[in-house]
Amino acid sequence: MRIVNIVGTRPNLMKIAPLMEAYADAPGIEPILVHTGQHYDDNMSDLFFRQLGIPEPDLNLGVGSGSHAVQTADIMKAFEPVVLERDPAAVVVVGDVNSTIACGLVASKLGIPLVHVEAGLRSFDRSMPEEINRVLTDAISDLLFCTEQSGVENLRREGVAEERIHLVGNVMIDTLVRHRARAAQSPILDDLGLAEGEYAVLTLHRPSNVDDPETLGRIWDALEALQRDMPLIFPAHPRTRRRMAEFGLSPRIDALENLQVLEPVGYLDFLQLMARARLVLTDSGGIQEETTILEVPCLTLRENTERPVTVEMGGNQVVGSDPERILAAYRKIVDGQAGSGATPPLWDGRAAGRIVEILTQVL
Ligand code: UD1
Ligand code: UDP
């Protein structure tokens, strides 16, 4: 049974890695890995193949960056002949990026069963490109694998047939569990001169935060104050680096003494940075989940989250972009509020195995 699997961006790689491993134990499955090329820098793509032991993609569509329409259309045009030629039993897409919906649409229109891993998450904010990708991908998927109960409930409410929905846990956490001990050997804290529990980690890349100079400026007001109190480590996403330069923010940021702006770092270093931090500030989806398992407090610099279990069970707080709100939440954490010790159901490192078992039965 031939299954085509899609990756395009950095977070897709942490999600596909355990699936590729689980296929290796399923003799009836012939996995094919297709990279759309949406992310292409070594430190946004190839580095993760090496670190996570993901097999070389069978094909790289080399699509690269572009507007939403250009990127989505280019992926579709490049992927259609691949599906026609390989004639798979199913196409598996993960997450909520443009590569997810583009390849999903191609598969669905060609009548190939579409499998969505990380289905049902909803921020209920249609101004987020990822929310459009989630809603549309789920609407055309034949098998929907959910990470948390809220996803199951969202899909039921949208009328998805019960037999298509499976709560299986979180493949991104499979990767964390698998690599946690190795990450603990990373020398990154020494390299950056950091003491365990005495620094904060920051990531930012949502268009709503970084493409709007006013919002980005307000977030930096908070971060400027925060870094006076605690060292702040910021591996900057390429979108964000570009915007900071365009908005003329770079001189202001370069002047901050207690801030280290880095290139994006590899998975093992980043996991170690998060695991030993006092707190993490982020607008990433995956990092809200990883900090939940690492029991590190997380301040989500957004107005909403599609991953409510990280707030209900973990130490995640959704604090938006208002400096006073961010700093008030920060002070509470520094004054002793820790991340909670709860693990969401099935976030146990075995989600990919469950998915492959169901695929084998259903397909
Ligand atoms: C994409 C996803 C987002 C996901 C994020 C993970 C969509 C709509 N967005 O956002 O959901 O959270 O990836 O990181 O699919 N660039 C580089 N090198 C690269 C890749 C990108 O320089 O290897 C720069 C380019 O200037 C590009 C910009 O980053 O225009 C944005 O890249 P793009 O893939 O369009 O969106 P992301 O912001 O990365
Ligand atoms: N990550 C990483 N290096 C970094 C920043 C993030 O390895 O410099 C990892 C992080 O641990 C998580 C994933 O990248 O596994 C999250 O990707 P991102 O925030 O780009 O996307 P999102 O989850 O928001 O879609």
Side-chain angles (χ1 to χ4, degrees):
M1 185 167 65
R2 187 174 294 155
I3 297 184
V4 168
N5 301 271
I6 306 300
V7 290
T9 65
R10 173 170 68 186
N12 295 165
L13 300 171
M14 294 72 179
K15 293 169 195 175
I16 217 71
L19 277 170
M20 297 307 286
E21 224 175 293
Y23 292 138
D25 295 331
I29 294 182
E30 180 201 342
I32 292 177
L33 184 58
V34 176
H35 194 325
T36 64
Q38 179 173 346
H39 283 179
Y40 42 84
D41 290 346
D42 183 73
N43 61 15
M44 295 296 287
S45 179
D46 285 7
L47 175 57
F48 299 92
F49 280 82
R50 299 194 293 274
Q51 287 200 339
L52 303 179
I54 306 170
E56 284 265 308
D58 296 275
L59 262 160
N60 190 322
L61 307 179
V63 165
S65 305
S67 69
H68 284 278
V70 166
Q71 190 174 58
T72 308
D74 283 351
I75 296 170
M76 289 182 70
K77 284 199 286 189
F79 185 53
E80 188 179 54
V82 176
V83 179
L84 288 170
E85 188 196 322
R86 307 279 177 141
D87 191 25
V91 170
V92 173
V93 294
V94 299
D96 54 16
V97 301
N98 284 348
S99 300
T100 311
I101 179 63
C103 294
L105 260 176
V106 168
S108 173
K109 292 273 179 93
L110 290 174
I112 307 292
L114 178 63
V115 179
H116 188 201
V117 174
E118 200 185 271
L121 297 179
R122 296 287 180 271
S123 65
F124 304 101
D125 174 1
R126 293 274 173 109
S127 71
M128 261 185 109
E130 294 81 5
E131 183 73 354
I132 310 285
N133 294 343
R134 291 181 200 116
V135 169
L136 297 181
T137 304
D138 287 340
I140 55 173
S141 290
D142 298 280
L143 259 179
L144 301 98
F145 291 112
C146 297
T147 52
E148 59 171 271
Q149 186 60 29
S150 76
V152 173
E153 281 154 23
N154 293 331
L155 294 174
R156 280 183 186 146
R157 208 180 33 254
E158 290 170 20
V160 177
E162 196 66 33
E163 65 270 17
R164 294 175 186 251
I165 307 171
H166 299 270
L167 180 65
V168 290
N170 192 326
V171 283
M172 198 162 215
I173 300 305
D174 288 10
T175 294
L176 186 155
V177 169
R178 178 95 163 78
H179 295 281
R180 196 171 178 177
R182 237 176 106 212
Q185 309 299 316
S186 154
I188 186 91
L189 265 66
D190 286 345
D191 292 351
L192 298 178
L194 300 170
E196 175 166 355
E198 293 179 13
Y199 64 93
V201 174
L202 166 72
T203 81
L204 279 177
H205 70 276
R206 293 282 155 224
S208 58
N209 281 334
V210 308
D211 287 2
D212 174 31
E214 245 174 62
T215 309
L216 190 56
R218 272 191 294 141
I219 291 175
W220 276 108
D221 289 342
L223 298 172
E224 199 165 342
L226 190 154
Q227 61 85 45
R228 278 197 287 272
D229 200 50
M230 185 182 284
L232 181 59
I233 307 303
F234 178 31
H237 189 285
R239 172 192 285 275
T240 311
R241 194 177 274 278
R242 173 185 269 201
R243 292 298 187 219
M244 291 189 314
E246 271 172 30
F247 300 155
L249 275 167
S250 302
R252 172 181 171 192
I253 290 167
D254 291 345
L256 302 179
E257 274 188 12
N258 233 353
L259 169 77
Q260 296 192 53
V261 185
L262 313 176
E263 287 295 316
V265 298
Y267 182 74
L268 299 173
D269 287 341
F270 193 71
L271 191 51
Q272 175 70 346
L273 275 175
M274 284 192 290
R276 304 285 181 252
R278 185 73 192 82
L279 76 156
V280 173
L281 302 105
T282 192
D283 57 13
S284 159
I287 291 172
Q288 296 173 57
E289 301 181 332
E290 291 167 337
T291 49
T292 295
I293 296 302
L294 295 169
E295 296 175 38
V296 172
C298 179
L299 297 183
T300 293
L301 307 177
R302 287 173 43 189
E303 301 301 334
N304 49 55
T305 180
E306 61 287 332
R307 292 159 159 90
V309 78
T310 62
V311 176
E312 288 152 15
M313 297 189 73
N316 185 21
Q317 297 177 65
V318 177
V319 295
S321 58
D322 172 54
E324 279 180 21
R325 199 167 157 211
I326 297 170
L327 289 170
Y330 164 74
R331 280 190 204 101
K332 262 192 174 166
I333 291 171
V334 172
D335 290 346
Q337 183 194 309
S340 97
T343 301
L346 303 173
W347 290 22
D348 57 0
R350 300 206 301 269
R354 292 186 194 103
I355 290 172
V356 171
E357 203 179 314
I358 295 168
L359 287 179
T360 309
Q361 285 165 10
V362 175
L363 298 172

